[in-house]
Amino acid sequence: MGLTKSEIFTTYQNDISLFAKALGHPARVAILQHLFKMESCYCGNLVNEIGLAQPTVSQHLKELRNLGLIKGNVEGTSVCYCIDKENWERMKQLMHEFLNQEIQTKDECC
């Protein structure tokens, strides 16, 4: 598999790409939606909530943690998860800036 050569792109471009990756799978969107509904950290079994196998859910949780959108704390034999509010706000700002760009073409090109 080839490399993405992310080092040739700006930090801004890489950050947008990483945050978009977090939203690039419906399971991760479902996990985030579930965590948003909770008023505190969620320590239950997300497998029952999401409907996927444990290894699959674990992989998506790992991806969301690596991207910084969720945090997890070990409590006994379980891990409690919540949205990382600071990184979520950062993602919202970056995505807002990116998606609200004005198209600069003077005429219809296509």
Side-chain angles (χ1 to χ4, degrees), residues 19-31:
F19 286 135
K21 181 180 180 180
L23 304 176
H25 194 286
R28 290 191 289 271
V29 172
I31 290 168

Side-chain angles (χ1 to χ4, degrees), residues 48-88:
N48 296 332
E49 299 295 331
I50 306 302
L52 297 172
Q54 179 64 53
T56 304
V57 172
S58 292
Q59 187 62 37
H60 288 299
L61 288 167
K62 179 182 175 185
E63 189 71 33
L64 290 169
R65 282 184 71 179
N66 289 342
L67 295 169
L69 293 180
I70 65 171
K71 297 188 265 188
N73 296 317
V74 176
E75 293 188 10
T77 59
S78 64
V79 180
C80 296
Y81 294 100
C82 63
I83 300 292
D84 185 318
K85 293 177 185 177
E86 185 178 320
N87 282 335
W88 185 261

Side-chain angles (χ1 to χ4, degrees), residues 8-50:
I8 68 170
F9 301 104
T10 66
T11 299
Y12 177 77
Q13 292 165 333
N14 279 296
D15 288 349
I16 289 172
S17 175
L18 289 173
F19 286 135
K21 181 180 180 180
L23 304 176
H25 194 286
R28 290 191 289 271
V29 172
I31 290 168
L32 289 168
Q33 285 178 316
H34 184 72
L35 294 178
F36 269 115
K37 288 189 238 176
M38 303 291 105
E39 292 182 12
S40 61
C41 287
Y42 180 75
C43 297
N45 188 349
L46 282 167
V47 170
N48 296 332
E49 299 295 331
I50 306 302

